[in-house]
Amino acid sequence: MLFGKLMPRLARAGCVAALMAGAAPAVQADTLADALVSAYKHSGLLEQNRAVLRAADEDVAAASTALEPVLRWTASITQSLGRGQNNRALGAQDTGTLVVQGQLIAELLLYDFGATSLGIEAAKETVLATRQTLIGIEQQIMLRAVQAYMGVVEANEFVALRQNNVRVLTQELRAARNRFEVGEVTRTDVALAEAQLAQARSGLATAEGNRAIAIEEYRNVVGRKPGRIGGLPRLPKISSDVNAAKGLAVRSHPDMRAVQHQVAAAELAIKRAEAQKRPTISAQGVLSGSENLDSSNFGLSASVGIQASGTIYSGGLRSSTVRRAQAQRDAQRGNLHVVRHNVQQNVGIAYAQLSSARASLAASERQIRASRIAFRGVREEATLGARTTLDVLDAEQSLLNAEANRISAQAQLYNAAYAVLATTGRLTARDLHLPVQLYDVTEYYNLVKDSPTSQSKQGAQLDRVLKRLQKD
């Protein structure tokens, strides 16, 4: 009777709950693209390096001002002291003259053997290098976002796997106790099932702790707590030619491009240091005015001239500056050699990890199928008395290990695939076609100076050298 009265009420409550669930908006799942977009917008590291780029832009503007006219002024008030002729108690009376003077000075650099122009070109090369460094930072942010997303996916699957393992082992323990009560198994079998269940609960606690850690990493990188994780996207298209990928990385990786511009800037710094050893020629115009406040006399004068200046002896400072610039150029060339080999190595490592992950994923899928069949067979045989409880627990553990291997291999596969994109310089918001407002590296620069749209001669020569290296 009571059951009959409750059924209509439960049915009505279920209908209301269903209607409410239908009326509530569906929670949109977080995809990998969503995580990448949020990471791009949230990253403080990107903002930091964008500010560094703006500071480099200002260096070009500051260097360019040396070619512009300079207008400055000076003002002074002077009191001159003299000896008067009127004698008083203490002798002659002190008299003086109060004079106000002012100057307006205009200066313009006419010729300095290209030292200033070379400094401007070096600053432009530094800007171009800083832009590439910013792209490298962006790739790091994107790759870390991929790893954070896959970390949450992996952690969630591990928790679900461990929860299912606990449920299965709980059933196995219940079955072992029932068989023990009817005398089919011994107390040892029950103890084995209890120990396995305790181990499974410990694994579940560890998995939940790892999920909490993955969530914190996701929150840090993406800027928010992950919601319901959606399905995994298709893997990016990756060429199977490792050597071609290495060649692409040497030509287009932002680390390589940055160090190329740094070498070019160092070459320009040498030429600038050599040019600074020569004289400079400039024009100067001076408008002077002075007024004697005692006599109210006002004078105004103007002059225009060209002057040349140079240093005869500075204790070897200028030669030391040239040698220092040459040493810095050599250091940058050595760094170019190191970065080139590191970039190629990173590409090779990323491809090796990708191949390993693919093979591991395929092997784990086969292992899961075989382990599942074996587990079901051992469990059926145990009900007939042909297998022990230990055999069932071992089969369950083998299946668990196979499924865990698949989860790890899947995460490694995605991380390795996107690592290949990063090592070849293609893991940027532009290359991934993310729906974000891309940061314009020239916008701020154009506010202070014309954007360096091309490399210097030194930079172009270096590109030709790198192309020859690729042919070798």
Side-chain angles (χ1 to χ4, degrees):
M1 294 294 292
L2 179 60
F3 181 77
K5 293 180 180 179
L6 286 176
M7 282 301 296
R9 297 180 183 179
L10 292 175
R12 288 194 298 270
C15 293
V16 173
L19 291 174
M20 293 179 63
V27 178
Q28 185 176 2
D30 285 342
T31 64
L32 179 57
D34 295 332
L36 293 173
V37 169
S38 297
Y40 183 85
K41 295 178 180 179
H42 166 73
S43 175
L45 189 59
L46 279 177
E47 291 297 331
Q48 173 190 351
N49 283 272
R50 287 167 183 168
V52 171
L53 176 59
R54 292 194 295 271
D57 294 341
E58 292 292 350
D59 289 339
V60 178
S64 301
T65 58
L67 297 177
E68 302 295 330
V70 177
L71 188 63
R72 55 190 178 89
W73 60 272
T74 63
S76 64
I77 300 177
T78 59
Q79 172 75 52
S80 61
L81 301 178
R83 305 292 291 180
Q85 300 299 324
N86 298 329
N87 294 328
R88 292 192 177 181
L90 297 178
Q93 180 183 11
D94 289 337
T95 62
T97 303
L98 187 63
V99 179
V100 178
Q101 294 179 322
Q103 285 186 328
L104 187 63
I105 305 169
E107 296 176 333
L108 177 64
L109 177 65
L110 298 179
Y111 189 66
D112 64 350
F113 292 89
T116 300
S117 297
L118 289 168
I120 295 173
E121 291 301 315
K124 288 182 179 180
E125 289 290 343
T126 302
V127 167
L128 295 173
T130 309
R131 289 179 183 177
Q132 295 301 319
T133 301
L134 179 60
I135 295 175
I137 295 296
E138 179 182 339
Q139 288 205 141
Q140 295 176 18
I141 297 300
M142 294 293 100
L143 183 58
R144 188 177 175 187
V146 171
Q147 294 170 346
Y149 182 87
M150 292 308 303
V152 173
V153 172
E154 183 180 14
N156 286 340
E157 292 188 2
F158 268 120
V159 169
L161 178 63
R162 293 294 181 179
Q163 288 174 342
N164 183 66
N165 186 38
V166 169
R167 285 194 297 269
V168 172
L169 291 177
T170 301
Q171 295 173 359
E172 293 295 335
L173 177 59
R174 185 181 301 111
R177 287 173 175 170
N178 293 336
R179 294 172 66 190
F180 172 72
E181 291 178 357
V182 298
E184 293 182 2
V185 297
T186 65
R187 179 60 186 169
T188 302
D189 295 303
V190 177
L192 287 172
E194 290 174 345
Q196 198 77 2
L197 178 58
Q199 182 181 357
R201 287 171 176 168
S202 175
L204 175 58
T206 301
E208 290 175 341
N210 291 336
R211 181 172 63 178
I213 294 173
I215 290 174
E216 291 302 322
E217 171 68 8
Y218 187 95
R219 191 200 306 268
N220 182 23
V221 176
V222 179
R224 55 182 172 79
K225 185 177 179 180
R228 183 173 61 86
I229 298 297
L232 293 176
R234 296 174 58 184
L235 288 171
K237 294 182 179 179
I238 297 174
S239 171
S240 59
D241 192 340
V242 180
N243 292 327
K246 290 182 178 180
L248 174 63
V250 171
R251 293 191 304 271
S252 61
H253 195 279
D255 290 351
M256 281 297 300
R257 288 183 173 180
V259 75
Q260 288 177 45
H261 292 302
Q262 290 167 358
V263 172
E267 295 280 1
L268 292 167
I270 296 175
K271 295 181 179 295
R272 183 190 182 194
E274 292 173 344
Q276 287 177 332
K277 297 170 67 175
R278 300 178 181 180
T280 61
I281 300 174
S282 59
Q284 185 180 76
V286 180
L287 178 63
S288 301
S290 62
E291 182 178 4
N292 190 325
L293 298 182
D294 293 334
S295 60
S296 299
N297 291 333
F298 178 76
L300 186 65
S301 62
S303 63
V304 178
I306 296 177
Q307 63 181 12
S309 63
T311 302
I312 298 176
Y313 179 72
S314 62
L317 175 62
R318 294 175 297 169
S319 298
S320 176
T321 302
V322 174
R323 293 193 300 271
R324 180 176 180 271
Q326 291 172 341
Q328 290 177 333
R329 184 270 317 274
D330 294 340
Q332 291 297 341
R333 285 180 175 177
N335 187 37
L336 176 62
H337 179 78
V338 172
V339 170
R340 174 171 174 258
H341 286 283
N342 286 342
V343 165
Q344 291 176 324
Q345 178 188 5
N346 291 336
V347 173
I349 292 174
Y351 267 88
Q353 291 175 339
L354 179 62
S355 177
S356 175
R358 283 173 173 168
S360 178
L361 182 59
S364 63
E365 293 288 354
R366 293 192 296 268
Q367 183 184 5
I368 287 175
R369 289 193 296 269
S371 297
R372 184 173 290 117
I373 294 173
F375 172 67
R376 290 172 180 171
V378 169
R379 188 168 55 181
E380 290 296 329
E381 292 173 0
T383 59
L384 300 176
R387 293 283 184 171
T388 65
T389 301
L390 182 59
D391 294 331
V392 176
L393 296 177
D394 289 341
E396 164 65 15
Q397 187 63 43
S398 296
L399 178 58
L400 176 69
N401 293 339
E403 292 175 339
N405 291 337
R406 182 194 62 79
I407 293 173
S408 298
Q410 184 183 53
Q412 292 171 3
L413 178 63
Y414 274 85
N415 289 335
Y418 282 94
V420 170
L421 296 183
T423 56
T424 54
R426 295 178 295 157
L427 190 61
T428 64
R430 184 184 302 276
D431 293 321
L432 297 175
H433 305 291
L434 297 180
V436 295
Q437 180 65 41
L438 298 176
Y439 182 75
D440 187 356
V441 296
T442 64
E443 181 179 2
Y444 183 83
Y445 184 95
N446 291 333
L447 295 176
V448 294
K449 186 63 181 176
D450 294 335
S451 177
T453 56
S454 61
Q455 290 180 311
S456 62
K457 294 181 179 179
Q458 287 74 13
Q461 292 173 356
L462 187 60
D463 280 342
R464 290 194 292 270
V465 171
L466 290 172
K467 290 179 180 179
R468 286 197 298 269
L469 289 174
Q470 286 305 304
K471 293 179 180 178
D472 296 338

